[in-house]
Amino acid sequence: MTKFVVKRILYMIPVLFGVAFLVFAILSLTPGDPGTIILGVTAKPENIAALNHEFGFDQPFLIRFFTYMKNLVLHQDMGISYQYRRNVWTFIAEAFPYTLLLAVLSMIVQSILGVSLGIFSAVRQYSTLDRICVVVALVFASIPGFWLGLMLIMFFSIRLKLLPVFGAESLAHFVLPTLTVSLTSAAGTLRLTRSAMLETIRQEYIRTAQAKGASERVIIWKHALRNAMIPVVTSLGTGFGASLGGAIIAETVFSIPGMGRLMVNAINQKDIPMVMGATLFLAFIFSMIVLLVDILYAFIDPRIKEKYKNGGRHRE
């Protein structure tokens, strides 16, 4: 297991380097420069040129890229924001907790609703509950996130006056954003769980357990669910990692100062250090989450744990 973890961590190095190069290239080769964006098109050309020189934007692309990577690797320096003239890390440290809280709350709600209803829907296939779950899942999977957020605001905030409309001062401010993110995601989790459970309960070992007289609860929760959870855990893990990238729609609709709004504003201002720092930070977090999901497989399925122990090879 240790060898597997070390190998996966080493694989992250070229992945992060590739992400850094791709994002830096896109930002650098697209039209526009930070001097013009910050000072405006009516500013004097010499002032714009001076500001671009201060940022090092007048240097060749490769020189700027390798200078940035050298400072990041050797000095853990993410650079200074073009727009705010402060260290990029301070903005990430301020924005990430909001996004993390939103992602965790959304994951909890998504897991409870999606997994539990998916299990009951599969166990009671073709029942009234199953048909209702399938229809509701299709409806919520088709609803755009921004529309759902606005409808929740109109009903719970404007009409009932139960919850705040925007901000992030308390947990009450995260109720509607959490529902906006989790309800649409839970629909996909429900469908995936139902499909995985239906495939699992039709396996031969499930029929053998039934023939031996095992109770339905033991068959579902001890035998079927454990094997059906592999694709569900994969979906939940990658979905959680993607949420940390900033639920941009929810953060925009509810004015949450998280990573999504931070990156959108930085892209609009062509604040390259800010975009690079936020992207690499989130890419690293996402890679670690994928690694944790792979490790979690070993606790769900002992066969996968045995494969990890043998360095990714099956025994002869």
Side-chain angles (χ1 to χ4, degrees):
M1 178 69 76
T2 303
K3 184 178 180 180
F4 169 79
V5 172
V6 172
K7 185 185 297 184
R8 288 296 301 272
I9 292 176
L10 292 177
Y11 285 161
M12 292 182 190
I13 297 176
V15 171
L16 294 176
F17 184 86
V19 170
F21 183 82
L22 181 62
V23 173
F24 199 91
I26 293 174
L27 292 172
S28 299
L29 300 179
T30 51
D33 59 84
T36 303
I37 295 174
I38 294 173
L39 297 179
V41 294
T42 59
K44 295 181 179 180
E46 56 269 22
N47 293 337
I48 294 176
L51 189 58
N52 285 332
H53 178 73
E54 178 184 345
F55 294 150
F57 199 78
D58 55 347
Q59 296 180 352
F61 161 72
L62 291 178
I63 293 178
R64 287 188 287 116
F65 175 72
F66 284 108
T67 299
Y68 177 85
M69 294 302 297
K70 181 186 71 173
N71 293 332
L72 179 63
V73 174
L74 298 181
H75 308 291
Q76 294 75 54
D77 182 12
M78 291 184 172
I80 304 297
S81 168
Y82 291 164
Q83 186 178 5
Y84 301 103
R85 309 297 179 90
R86 288 170 52 196
N87 192 286
V88 168
W89 173 249
T90 61
F91 292 95
I92 296 175
E94 292 172 0
F96 184 68
Y98 295 108
T99 299
L100 179 61
L101 178 59
L102 177 59
V104 170
L105 293 175
S106 301
M107 178 59 59
I108 293 173
V109 176
Q110 175 186 351
S111 301
I112 294 174
L113 291 179
V115 175
S116 59
L117 291 178
I119 293 171
F120 290 125
S121 181
V123 173
R124 300 289 183 263
Q125 188 181 16
Y126 302 129
S127 65
T128 302
L129 174 63
D130 179 35
R131 291 188 175 92
I132 292 174
C133 289
V134 171
V135 172
V136 172
L138 288 173
V139 170
F140 277 99
S142 305
I143 293 177
F146 72 91
W147 185 87
L148 178 60
L150 293 175
M151 292 302 102
L152 292 175
I153 289 175
M154 290 180 61
F155 185 74
F156 289 102
S157 299
I158 298 176
R159 177 167 296 184
L160 299 181
K161 301 186 184 302
L162 294 177
L163 296 168
V165 177
F166 57 85
E169 288 76 21
S170 65
L171 284 176
H173 290 83
F174 283 88
V175 174
L176 295 183
T178 298
L179 291 176
T180 300
V181 176
S182 61
L183 289 180
T184 53
S185 301
T189 303
L190 187 155
R191 297 171 64 190
L192 180 61
T193 304
R194 180 180 183 274
S195 176
M197 282 293 295
L198 286 175
E199 182 178 354
T200 303
I201 60 180
R202 292 167 181 163
Q203 298 297 319
E204 290 295 332
Y205 69 90
I206 297 295
R207 295 179 183 145
T208 302
Q210 291 172 336
K212 290 182 177 181
S215 64
E216 184 181 28
R217 174 176 291 185
V218 171
I219 291 174
I220 296 301
W221 296 101
K222 185 177 180 180
H223 299 290
L225 180 60
R226 193 166 188 175
N227 290 308
M229 283 302 292
I230 295 293
V232 178
V233 168
T234 303
S235 176
L236 290 174
T238 54
F240 179 70
S243 297
L244 292 178
I248 297 176
I249 293 177
E251 291 182 1
T252 302
V253 172
F254 296 97
S255 298
I256 298 176
M259 294 295 293
R261 289 188 64 193
L262 179 69
M263 294 183 67
V264 169
N265 292 335
I267 292 172
N268 290 334
Q269 296 295 325
K270 201 158 187 177
D271 194 339
I272 295 178
M274 184 77 78
V275 179
M276 288 292 297
T279 302
L280 288 175
F281 175 76
L282 293 173
F284 173 77
I285 296 295
F286 185 84
S287 299
M288 293 301 298
I289 290 174
V290 172
L291 174 60
L292 292 176
V293 169
D294 288 345
I295 295 174
L296 186 59
Y297 289 162
F299 294 93
I300 297 175
D301 192 339
R303 295 170 298 179
I304 297 179
K305 185 175 183 179
E306 192 66 24
K307 180 179 178 181
Y308 288 166
K309 287 181 179 180
N310 288 279
R313 300 183 298 274
H314 292 287
R315 288 183 175 177
E316 299 291 337

